[in-house]
């Protein structure tokens, strides 16, 4: 069990994957809430069956996988459907996150979650590392990466916690606006040293 769980968060396109990749290169275990959110609705899972029973069999594709696009449109259009889905999935995701962080073997581990604050995951972590960027940078990098329209990216941005709120819970911040990708690597190396030093104090 790790002595320290670092919660890593930031808005869409802020650079979470870029930063977590560097931690992984240093051998740090990364538990990704987005991956876990997919695992809980894997083929034949009880949650996937519950979704099909509630919304209809067409929410399962012919290959047995969840039809994510259809479900996304459904919950985007209807708040009560979104609440129903969150009520089903959030406890499952949370308990999996708890067991994965408890099983992590290194001195510290990283729990990366875009919605760390919004989904009340702060009690699961000891410290928070925020990847902070200006909204203009988020829009520009996300559109470049995903080929999304400005409207689509803005809608996702609007559904996430604002920058100031994230910063109020941060113990460490990486400002990813004007740094190069090589500089991020150096920042991660120094944070790794800091976190290892902290594990020796707990
Ligand atoms: P999401 O929330 O959408 O999963 P993310 O927070 O994981 O996004 P990344 O995928 O790491 O963000 O970064 C978004 C894009 O910006 C990527 O294409 C990445 O290569 C690029 N990027 C990240 N940091 C920098 C930087 N400092 N300079 C230039 N490009 C960057």
């Amino acid at each position: 069990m790790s002595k320290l769980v670092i919660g890593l968060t930031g808005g869409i396109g802020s650079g979470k994957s870029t930063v977590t990749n560097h931690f992984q290169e240093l051998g740090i275990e990364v538990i990704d809430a987005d991956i876990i959110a997919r695992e809980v609705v894997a083929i034949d899972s009880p949650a996937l069956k519950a979704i099909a029973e509630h919304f209809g069999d067409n929410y399962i594709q012919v290959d047995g996988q969840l039809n994510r696009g259809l479900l996304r449109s459904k919950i985007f259009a209807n708040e009560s459907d979104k609440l129903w889905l969150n009520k089903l999935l959030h406890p499952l995701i949370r308990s999996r996150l708890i067991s994965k962080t408890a099983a992590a073997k290194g001195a510290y581990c990283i729990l990366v979650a875009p919605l760390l604050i919004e989904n009340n995951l702060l009690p699961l972590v000891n410290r928070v590392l925020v990847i902070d960027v200006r909204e203009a940078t988020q829009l520009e990098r996300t559109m470049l990466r995903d080929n999304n329209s400005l409207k689509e990216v803005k809608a996702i941005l609007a559904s996430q916690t604002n920058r100031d709120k994230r910063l109020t819970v941060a113990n460490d911040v990486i400002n990813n606006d004007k740094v190069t990708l090589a500089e991020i690597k150096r920042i991660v190396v120094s944070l790794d040293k800091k976190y290892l030093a902290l594990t020796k104090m707990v």
Side-chain angles (χ1 to χ4, degrees), residues 8-21 34 112 114 131 133 137-138 140-142 144-146 156 160 175-184:
L8 190 155
T9 193
I12 182 170
S14 55
K16 296 178 295 297
S17 305
T18 309
V19 171
T20 50
N21 285 345
D34 279 348
V112 55
I131 318 302
V133 283
T137 311
Q138 279 182 281
E140 186 189 320
R141 288 185 184 155
T142 308
L144 202 70
R145 184 195 56 189
D146 299 338
I156 297 171
Q160 299 184 336
N175 186 301
N176 193 15
D177 267 316
K178 295 202 173 83
V179 286
T180 63
L181 291 169
E183 280 165 338
I184 296 183

Side-chain angles (χ1 to χ4, degrees), residues 18-31:
T18 309
V19 171
T20 50
N21 285 345
H22 289 312
F23 277 108
Q24 279 176 320
E25 279 165 24
L26 296 173
I28 305 304
E29 189 168 334
V30 173
I31 296 135

Side-chain angles (χ1 to χ4, degrees), residues 50-183:
I51 289 169
E53 268 167 34
H54 188 78
F55 292 121
D57 287 340
N58 53 332
Y59 284 77
I60 300 183
Q61 299 171 167
V62 279
D63 63 0
Q65 304 261 16
L66 173 66
N67 187 333
R68 287 174 190 285
L70 191 61
L71 188 62
R72 207 177 302 120
S73 320
K74 178 83 178 158
I75 62 166
F76 195 70
N78 189 324
E79 187 63 23
S80 66
D81 287 336
K82 184 176 171 181
L83 288 175
W84 182 88
L85 189 70
N86 286 348
K87 212 169 153 195
L88 171 76
L89 300 183
H90 284 187
L92 298 172
I93 296 169
R94 191 182 196 83
S95 68
R96 215 175 251 242
L97 286 172
I98 292 170
S99 57
K100 291 240 176 183
T101 50
K105 289 195 189 67
Y108 76 93
C109 67
I110 305 259
L111 190 168
V112 55
L115 303 180
L116 190 76
I117 301 165
E118 297 87 328
N119 289 345
N120 300 318
L121 299 173
L122 288 175
L124 272 54
V125 305
N126 304 108
R127 287 180 75 86
V128 177
L129 169 59
V130 167
I131 318 302
D132 183 51
V133 283
R134 288 179 308 124
E135 198 175 302
T137 311
Q138 279 182 281
L139 293 173
E140 186 189 320
R141 288 185 184 155
T142 308
M143 286 195 302
L144 202 70
R145 184 195 56 189
D146 299 338
N147 227 347
N148 278 339
S149 71
L150 184 64
K151 198 174 159 209
E152 284 167 324
V153 184
K154 277 195 165 170
I156 297 171
L157 243 152
S159 72
Q160 299 184 336
T161 275
N162 68 44
R163 203 176 159 187
D164 289 343
K165 195 151 179 214
R166 245 183 241 115
L167 290 174
T168 59
V169 300
N171 300 102
D172 302 291
V173 178
I174 297 180
N175 186 301
N176 193 15
D177 267 316
K178 295 202 173 83
V179 286
T180 63
L181 291 169
E183 280 165 338

